[in-house]
Amino acid sequence: MESQSLYRVQKTDFPKLERLLTACFAEDPLYVKLIPDEDTRKRLMPELFECDLNEFFETCEIFADSRELNSVLVVSDESEPYNIFQYYLTEAMASLKTDEYLIKEDPSLKTFWNFVRGKDYLNSRWTDQLHQEERLHIIYLAVAPDMQHHGLADLLMQEAIRYADTHRLMISLETHNPGNVAMYQHYGFKVFGIVEKHFELKQYCMIREIQ
């Protein structure tokens, strides 16, 4: 994905972006279910997002509304060619680092086991069912809590939609917050399916058809 209006996040922005994501997802149903202990969650989430961002910097595109990083959009353009060896190597390294953090922060292995059981919530393999490579996948769309209701989510989403429509791409995403479903439906998304395995937690898999 390319954008002339959004700020392309740099590696030097990662510390601020980790804080943003931690604030945005601290009470997200997925992380509350996987890391139920609040103190462990506070310690662990910045480390998990550090892993995510390093992986995404190599394999995806990361945008913000501005250099102030009041909001973030992480997307994977499935229509673009990629080095499959580099992709899986980067993913494997991130997975090993994540396991290291999980065990370090909770030696009881309860959190580690939750992540093992919850693996279907932590990937986007449901998109294999779409059989659609001309697709943009939204991994994260988040707005700083004190900057919500200022139109930033709309700014990011409209830019993703503009790019997808220009290049005739489907858009896919997942959310674990039922309150977000109506928001995405407002942008033309529909629920493709719901994942619910091992936990009382629903993952809403949503798509916006090629326009």
Side-chain angles (χ1 to χ4, degrees):
M1 174 175 162
E2 298 174 353
S3 174
Q4 300 299 316
S5 60
L6 300 180
Y7 170 66
R8 187 71 174 260
V9 171
Q10 306 299 309
K11 267 204 165 184
T12 52
D13 297 315
F14 279 11
K16 187 172 183 179
L17 199 50
E18 288 162 20
R19 292 192 293 272
L20 168 65
L21 290 170
T22 298
C24 290
F25 290 98
E27 300 302 325
D28 183 81
L30 173 64
Y31 291 100
V32 170
K33 187 64 67 173
L34 295 180
I35 318 172
D37 181 74
E38 186 175 357
D39 289 337
T40 303
R41 195 159 66 247
K42 286 179 179 178
R43 294 194 308 271
L44 189 52
M45 287 184 68
E47 297 176 323
L48 296 180
F49 286 125
E50 177 189 353
C51 274
D52 282 352
L53 290 172
N54 280 299
E55 178 185 356
F56 295 153
F57 193 77
E58 299 294 333
T59 60
C60 305
E61 290 83 43
I62 309 174
F63 298 99
D65 57 293
S66 67
R67 292 179 181 273
E68 298 301 314
L69 270 69
N70 293 310
S71 59
V72 63
L73 172 71
V74 182
V75 296
S76 174
D77 190 339
E78 303 299 314
S79 68
E80 292 185 346
Y82 64 95
N83 183 320
I84 191 168
F85 176 77
Q86 180 186 6
Y87 176 85
Y88 283 110
L89 178 62
T90 303
E91 188 178 59
M93 293 297 292
S95 179
L96 287 172
K97 196 68 177 177
T98 296
D99 291 348
E100 177 187 333
Y101 287 142
L102 293 174
I103 295 169
K104 180 188 72 173
E105 296 296 351
D106 184 4
S108 72
L109 301 184
K110 290 180 180 178
T111 304
F112 176 78
W113 179 237
N114 279 348
F115 273 70
V116 172
R117 293 171 63 217
K119 67 181 187 304
D120 291 305
Y121 295 98
L122 294 165
N123 61 60
S124 301
R125 293 196 177 95
W126 66 270
T127 57
D128 293 343
Q129 303 171 56
L130 300 174
H131 305 292
Q132 177 59 265
E133 293 183 357
E134 299 301 307
R135 181 170 51 82
L136 195 69
H137 187 73
I138 296 178
I139 300 170
Y140 287 137
L141 190 155
V143 179
D146 61 347
M147 290 299 294
Q148 292 179 3
H149 311 296
H150 286 71
L152 295 181
D154 185 68
L155 171 71
L156 299 177
M157 182 58 76
Q158 292 290 4
E159 185 65 5
I161 289 173
R162 181 203 61 76
Y163 181 86
D165 287 352
T166 300
H167 294 83
R168 294 191 52 76
L169 302 176
M170 173 188 284
I171 309 178
S172 56
L173 59 83
E174 58 267 340
T175 181
H176 307 92
N177 189 338
N180 289 340
V181 173
M183 179 190 76
Y184 289 123
Q185 288 175 331
H186 169 75
Y187 290 103
F189 287 80
K190 64 181 181 182
V191 176
F192 177 80
I194 298 175
V195 174
E196 188 172 10
K197 293 184 179 180
H198 308 302
F199 296 98
E200 291 184 8
L201 175 69
K202 292 182 178 180
Q203 175 175 279
Y204 299 89
C205 306
M206 305 188 72
I207 60 171
R208 183 179 185 273
E209 301 281 6
I210 296 174
Q211 302 297 301

